[in-house]
Amino acid sequence: MNKDNLHIARQKRGQIESSLLIAFATLSDKELANLLLSKLSTERTIGATLLGQRKAKEFVVSLCAALRLEKALYSRIAICEALESIGKESVEPLSQLLGKIGNNQETKLPEKYFEKKSYPLTRDIVARTIIRIGEPAIDRLIELSATKDNYLLSQIIDTLGGLLHATGDLRILDRLTIIFDENRQNELLLWKTIRAFSTTESKETTNLIMPCLTHSQPAIRWETIRTLGLISNYETKIIAKIETLTTDSNEQIQQASVDATNRIKQREKTKYGS
């Protein structure tokens, strides 16, 4: 695809040049909100972008409604960025959309070990937006985590993990610990909670998840190993236990064990400057 065709394709997906915003800058907030309903994806992007720049909190509901319907990539990004820019006022209406946009959310255990040490980007677009809002979203997500809807809870766990990674707020760790205890029999929720624990070092969390090293589900075992590699201090019993799994019959568990052992030992070297 040549540059001209690429430009046209991106325009169809809502990409704009920043100079286009000038022509719409005199529109009222209401008129910009009406652009969210335009048949032109570029106009939808313009409307969302300017509402975000103005932090037009009165139109959060309109932006959320547009997000639920939007198919064009760049227009969708502009709406998410607008909601993020508005911040706290976006949290409540956004929280009502968790797990309801798209079909990319995880609904089953993975078949492959996630090797990176970074916290994985949640696959739910609403969760990602809430995480970028950060601290103002914490109380609402903790409150919402009391839900009995396991599908919704799975998205909330991902969001709480991302918020813990972004803010380090230990209230989230406390809530995740309760979720872990309450959902030991649900393999998907257990796996997600163990993953969410991987964002902050904690001896208490280490002790909590250690028994999961013998879980019958391989994905839970390798996620436990990965998390231990990220949050555990150098302790002989932990290293010894993880190292026994480097010869496990499951190759994913073998690799997770090698990675975790190396990460713990590397942190120990860094800690003492050796």
Side-chain angles (χ1 to χ4, degrees):
M1 184 180 293
N2 62 39
K3 290 184 177 180
D4 289 340
N5 289 338
L6 181 61
H7 180 67
I8 292 170
R10 287 178 173 173
Q11 278 190 322
K12 288 181 179 179
R13 300 171 77 187
Q15 188 179 52
I16 62 168
E17 298 291 338
S18 58
S19 58
L20 284 178
L21 298 173
I22 298 173
F24 294 83
T26 58
L27 294 184
S28 68
D29 289 355
K30 176 63 176 176
E31 289 170 323
L32 292 176
N34 288 337
L35 288 182
L36 298 174
L37 305 175
S38 173
K39 292 183 179 179
L40 298 177
S41 58
T42 50
E43 289 191 351
R44 299 196 298 274
T45 299
I46 290 168
T49 300
L50 289 173
L51 285 172
Q53 288 181 1
R54 297 178 185 182
K55 300 188 186 301
K57 61 184 180 181
E58 297 85 357
F59 293 92
V60 164
V61 172
S62 297
L63 286 163
C64 286
L67 181 60
R68 189 162 190 171
L69 298 173
E70 188 58 66
K71 303 299 182 185
L73 173 63
Y74 294 101
S75 301
R76 180 177 282 189
I77 291 172
I79 294 169
C80 290
E81 290 178 343
L83 289 164
E84 177 189 354
S85 178
I86 292 167
K88 182 178 180 180
E89 290 80 5
S90 299
V91 173
E92 173 59 32
L94 269 174
S95 69
Q96 297 176 25
L97 295 180
L98 276 168
K100 294 181 179 179
I101 297 178
N103 57 4
N104 193 42
Q105 297 85 358
E106 290 162 321
T107 57
K108 60 182 181 179
L109 291 170
E111 297 179 358
K112 188 177 186 301
Y113 156 62
F114 181 80
E115 298 181 31
K116 298 178 182 178
K117 65 179 181 179
S118 59
Y119 188 72
L121 186 68
T122 177
R123 292 163 65 174
D124 185 84
I125 188 171
V126 172
R128 293 201 298 269
T129 305
I130 292 173
I131 291 166
R132 287 194 290 267
I133 291 172
E135 192 276 335
I138 293 173
D139 286 341
R140 175 55 181 153
L141 267 292
I142 289 176
E143 176 188 10
L144 198 60
S145 68
T147 181
K148 300 301 181 183
D149 181 334
N150 285 342
Y151 173 71
L152 174 59
L153 182 56
S154 72
Q155 310 311 315
I156 293 169
I157 292 169
D158 288 344
T159 313
L160 287 172
L163 285 170
L164 181 59
H165 178 67
T167 69
D169 193 312
L170 295 181
R171 291 177 296 161
I172 301 172
L173 190 60
D174 291 341
R175 183 57 191 153
L176 287 170
T177 299
I178 293 171
I179 293 171
F180 177 90
D181 283 331
E182 291 178 343
N183 294 279
R184 291 175 182 267
Q185 304 308 312
N186 185 308
E187 291 185 346
L188 180 63
L189 297 182
L190 183 64
W191 170 76
K192 287 202 169 204
T193 309
I194 292 169
R195 173 168 286 197
F197 281 141
S198 70
T199 60
T200 185
E201 291 186 32
S202 168
K203 184 172 183 178
E204 291 76 13
T205 304
T206 295
N207 293 333
L208 182 68
I209 68 173
M210 279 286 287
C212 293
L213 289 174
T214 59
H215 199 282
S216 60
Q217 171 53 248
I220 291 175
R221 292 171 67 197
W222 73 57
E223 196 60 45
T224 302
I225 297 166
R226 176 181 173 274
T227 293
L228 288 172
L230 292 168
I231 71 172
S232 299
N233 292 321
Y234 188 95
E235 293 183 26
T236 303
K237 66 176 182 179
I238 296 174
I239 293 291
K241 183 63 176 177
I242 293 175
E243 285 184 332
T244 63
L245 299 171
T246 58
T247 58
D248 192 273
S249 59
N250 185 297
E251 291 184 1
Q252 309 273 355
I253 290 173
Q254 290 178 27
Q255 185 60 55
S257 302
V258 171
D259 290 345
T261 301
N262 289 339
R263 284 167 182 162
I264 294 172
K265 290 181 177 179
Q266 184 58 46
R267 277 204 306 280
E268 185 73 1
K269 288 181 181 179
T270 301
K271 182 177 179 181
Y272 292 103
S274 58

